[in-house]
Amino acid sequence: MSDTGKYHLPKGTSADGPYDLLVTPESAGWGYSGLKVLTLDPGGEHVLPTGESEFLVLPLTGSCTVTTGGTTFELAGRADVFASVTDFAYLPRASEALISSVTGGSFALPCARTEQGGHSARYGRKEDVPVELRGAGACSRQVNNYCLPGTFDAEQLLVCEVLTPGGNWSSYPPHKHDEARPGEESELEEIYYFEISGGENGFGYQRVYGTPERPMDVLAEIRSGDTVLIPHGWHGPSIAAPGHDLYYLNVMAGPGLDRAWLICDDPAHGWVRATWDTQDVDDRLPFGENR
């Protein structure tokens, strides 16, 4: 039996209160990763208590002001997710922030439950976000590494964006990170939040499948605003339909105190990496302002 209905959250199905999307550890049935998507009208504002989780405030469209603990961060944001990387703000657990926007916009609030509290609220400059071109040929994609080990300090939260030109595959070869194997693989719950160019006609596909010990079977047609939850198993490919560029925000967290992103390729498909040595990176990359 397919698990698609359980782990694929079409746009609007997980909205709650002020949020267009609300994924908590409780709603996902796991322990750590979460994501809220907040849309503010011009002049709108929202109070965010972080509680037991650390957060990023990451503009998808538009700009905002984040005020917390007497400190104010002005986030210039961006026109849309394909236009450029963005600046962002980090909020620690057990704090509260006022998010306001003069012009309005949509803001991702990725979070991770943590018992640690060693980091203070901070501003992340867009100029400091590493932009990586990964893969080659039809597997070419762009990765914006916002909050990963070595790019931005956090307790347990890991956040990046992947942008895939229309017709290409990303999150490929399929990989997993659901076992704690020091130096080889880390245990992380993952959320994929999607935006797709082309308005209502834009679409793509996401595949997730399990192991014999932990079966899982997801094949979802995804559209802008959809979300896929990955508690375990091999995930990939993420497929962009020709003519429709694909964006997804990855949010990861897990139980290990050693904050690491270590993956294991599916042995049946890992060989594809060697083929990239003789192919060029897609010349449509990088996107927008990053060219």
Side-chain angles (χ1 to χ4, degrees):
M1 178 181 294
S2 173
D3 295 310
T4 296
K6 182 177 180 180
Y7 296 109
H8 173 218
L9 309 178
K11 181 179 180 179
T13 58
S14 293
D16 186 74
Y19 300 116
D20 299 325
L21 172 71
L22 178 60
V23 176
T24 66
E26 289 77 15
S27 69
W30 55 36
Y32 300 91
S33 296
L35 175 63
K36 304 178 181 183
V37 175
L38 172 70
T39 296
L40 293 177
D41 293 329
E45 59 183 33
H46 175 68
V47 175
L48 174 69
T50 64
E52 297 178 329
S53 297
E54 57 182 342
F55 279 80
L56 295 190
V57 179
L58 185 78
L60 299 172
T61 63
S63 59
C64 68
T65 300
V66 179
T67 302
T68 180
T71 301
T72 296
F73 305 115
E74 298 289 346
L75 304 188
R78 52 188 168 183
D80 61 63
V81 295
F82 297 103
S84 70
V85 296
T86 182
D87 52 355
F88 62 96
Y90 171 86
L91 303 173
R93 74 185 303 274
S95 64
E96 184 174 278
L98 175 67
I99 305 170
S100 59
S101 179
V102 173
T103 57
S106 181
F107 309 96
L109 308 173
C111 57
R113 183 167 290 164
T114 178
E115 296 180 358
Q116 311 301 311
H119 294 290
S120 60
R122 309 193 309 285
Y123 174 71
R125 302 193 322 149
K126 64 180 287 186
E127 294 82 5
D128 295 334
V129 176
V131 176
E132 174 188 1
L133 300 186
R134 189 177 296 171
C139 292
S140 300
R141 61 272 204 181
Q142 173 182 328
V143 185
N144 301 332
N145 293 308
Y146 287 98
C147 185
L148 296 179
T151 72
F152 193 86
D153 287 337
E155 307 298 346
Q156 287 170 274
L157 182 62
L158 304 170
V159 179
C160 67
E161 297 175 329
V162 181
L163 297 93
T164 309
N168 284 10
W169 288 25
S170 59
S171 197
Y172 195 76
H175 57 280
K176 72 179 184 74
H177 39 69
D178 58 12
E179 297 179 76
R181 297 188 296 143
E184 297 184 50
E185 184 178 354
S186 46
E187 183 180 355
L188 298 168
E189 310 151 350
E190 186 162 18
I191 301 168
Y192 277 50
Y193 169 79
F194 296 92
E195 295 284 350
I196 303 172
S197 69
E200 293 182 357
N201 294 323
F203 71 101
Y205 291 92
Q206 177 66 46
R207 181 78 171 111
V208 187
Y209 56 98
T211 62
E213 297 76 22
R214 303 176 75 187
M216 184 171 181
D217 183 13
V218 173
L219 177 57
E221 179 178 299
I222 43 107
R223 296 180 180 269
S224 285
D226 285 9
T227 303
V228 172
L229 307 179
I230 303 173
H232 59 86
W234 310 105
H235 40 288
S238 305
I239 303 171
H244 298 291
D245 300 328
L246 175 68
Y247 160 96
Y248 49 91
L249 175 70
N250 287 145
V251 183
M252 295 173 280
L257 294 180
D258 181 18
R259 180 173 172 253
W261 182 52
L262 300 175
I263 67 170
C264 174
D265 286 343
D266 183 340
H269 302 287
W271 58 266
V272 75
R273 291 186 185 273
T275 69
W276 300 342
D277 295 339
T278 57
Q279 300 178 68
D280 294 327
V281 174
D282 193 312
D283 62 10
R284 292 174 290 178
L285 295 174
F287 279 90
E289 192 179 292
N290 300 309
R291 283 190 174 275

